[in-house]
Amino acid sequence: MKTTAVLADVHGNRWALEAVLADAARRGVFRFVNLGDSLYGPLDPEGTADLLLSLDAPTVRGNEDRIVTERRPGAASSPTLDFTRSVLGPAHLAWLESLPPAAVAFDAFFLCHGTPARDDAYLLREVSAAGVRLRRPEEIDALLGGGESPVVLCAHDHLPGIVPLPNGRLVVNPGSVGCPAFEDDHPYPHVMEAGSPEARYAILERDGGEWAARAVSVPYDREAAARAAERNGRPDWARWIRTGRARG
């Protein structure tokens, strides 16, 4: 089984994606999977889309991929969403619309953005009125609802996590390539923050029949990305990108 690089939550950050792809190439890794939320953001959705399409990697739809392509009455709208839609071409939007909510890749990896049931729910972490906590392995297993793939790949919370389950499966969140922190108010107000601004991805390898995952962080020209966020009216994104922290 070839070594595989796991991408997620690029959020239109072309500068971070370029650095991750270059780092993977230096390591001799040329096979990728992508867990979604690829293009939404005030950065460079078009350039990011062109790069990702060139990879031809197995890819699933994230919640904000879905929102970008929703055109029903009453669908979500915001200046950042309008910007993302405005710079994407027909081929980019058709690609987003074609993405499945979940997939099995290379006969070994189950891919989803959030949980198998929901693209807007965290698999590894629970948010309550008391804050954010890492779920216990048996809770994660229950949310998966079965399945046979030895490796489950998830995203959405933007934080790296590697969790072996009691049944021998391995659950991996690679963290976010392009957005290391954010604030949200659903289901309760909370923040997610990696604590440093590097681009993140994961590498999967099989060693003696067992799967092993390694979290990787990569420096990049984050100032260029932060300036793009500021030009497009999102100083909060600029702060997240520069610091890896949601506040301050």
Side-chain angles (χ1 to χ4, degrees), residues 29-130:
V29 182
F30 298 97
R31 189 171 77 168
F32 298 88
V33 296
N34 177 9
L35 306 181
D37 273 9
S38 297
L39 306 182
Y40 172 87
L43 304 174
D44 183 6
E46 182 181 22
T48 302
D50 288 339
L51 272 177
L52 291 173
L53 283 167
S54 73
L55 292 180
D56 195 27
T59 301
V60 293
R61 181 190 69 205
N63 60 304
E64 288 181 331
D65 298 323
R66 169 174 51 80
I67 290 169
V68 167
T69 59
E70 282 182 342
R71 297 294 185 178
R72 58 182 173 76
S77 183
S78 71
T80 299
L81 182 57
D82 292 342
F83 165 76
T84 303
R85 287 170 171 163
S86 72
V87 298
L88 294 177
H92 305 142
L93 293 169
W95 175 66
L96 285 183
E97 290 175 339
S98 74
L99 298 177
V104 174
F106 307 123
D107 298 321
F109 311 140
F110 177 81
L111 281 56
C112 61
H113 180 72
T115 71
R118 292 183 54 179
D119 61 15
D120 60 353
Y122 306 131
L123 179 60
L124 297 189
R125 290 168 174 85
E126 179 185 57
V127 177
S128 70

